[in-house]
Amino acid sequence: MDLSFLGIEANPITVFTQADKATYLRNPEDIDDGIRELVDAINAIPAFFSMSACQGFLIEDERDDHCPESYVDFYVIDGQYQLAQLLLGSLASKFGASIDCKVVYEADFVITTDDEIIANGMVKLRHSIELYELPPDLMKTTYQELVEHIRKFGDAVK
């Protein structure tokens, strides 16, 4: 396809690899304990890796120490975007208004030695699962069902 009318010569979507997954997951202690199960379920799927997460309101006694949202964002390896669409679609179908699933197109960049960020013309597809706050008992069971759903999804695609 001739993309010249867009001002680009090739597909601008960044393609992540297994090496990228290893790099992003090298510091597991960076993951909040309250959302670790969900992050681990996503990372257990070979084509996905988490890149950002926050337990937010999941643990009442710790909520003031975290951002106000409970979410996991992840990238896809080797362009397996249909797999990510299937996961997000199945989650939105099953959990309805309890979660929000989306894909964000964000500018890719490089960080220079001066800690300056320079856009490189590429675009990263950030897939996101955000939980909405529910009454505590329902929140706990919904979270566990969400983790189990993703584990079953991972088992099915392996």
Side-chain angles (χ1 to χ4, degrees):
M1 171 191 300
D2 179 13
L3 301 175
S4 61
F5 74 98
L6 297 174
I8 57 178
E9 296 179 18
N11 184 346
I13 304 298
T14 299
V15 177
F16 292 100
T17 65
Q18 286 293 336
D20 294 315
K21 182 173 184 172
T23 299
Y24 271 84
L25 301 182
R26 72 177 177 261
N27 295 322
E29 66 277 358
D30 291 345
I31 301 167
D32 295 339
D33 288 335
I35 201 154
R36 184 174 301 278
E37 275 187 290
L38 182 56
V39 169
D40 288 348
I42 289 169
N43 290 332
I45 299 171
F48 303 155
F49 65 95
S50 61
M51 53 75 56
S52 180
C54 185
Q55 73 184 35
F57 50 74
L58 290 175
I59 300 176
E60 184 63 35
D61 296 346
E62 298 177 12
R63 71 185 302 153
D64 291 339
D65 299 329
H66 297 275
C67 66
E69 299 172 345
S70 297
Y71 70 91
V72 176
D73 292 344
F74 65 95
Y75 291 137
V76 174
I77 294 175
D78 298 329
Q80 297 185 54
Y81 300 114
Q82 286 184 315
L83 197 57
Q85 289 175 338
L86 184 57
L87 173 62
L88 294 183
S90 69
L91 291 171
S93 174
K94 180 172 182 169
F95 293 95
S98 300
I99 65 171
D100 186 22
C101 297
K102 60 187 171 195
V103 180
V104 175
Y105 291 72
E106 62 185 9
D108 199 350
F109 57 85
V110 291
I111 300 175
T112 67
T113 56
D114 300 325
D115 290 332
E116 178 184 30
I117 296 174
I118 300 174
N120 63 13
M122 299 297 285
V123 176
K124 297 185 283 188
L125 301 184
R126 179 190 292 227
H127 297 75
S128 181
I129 303 166
E130 182 180 349
L131 289 79
Y132 290 118
E133 191 168 5
L134 302 168
D137 288 345
L138 185 56
M139 186 77 257
K140 185 175 182 176
T141 58
T142 301
Y143 177 77
Q144 288 305 317
E145 289 174 16
L146 180 63
V147 169
E148 188 58 30
H149 182 89
I150 294 173
R151 285 180 180 150
K152 287 179 181 177
F153 182 90
D155 290 344
V157 299
K158 287 182 185 174

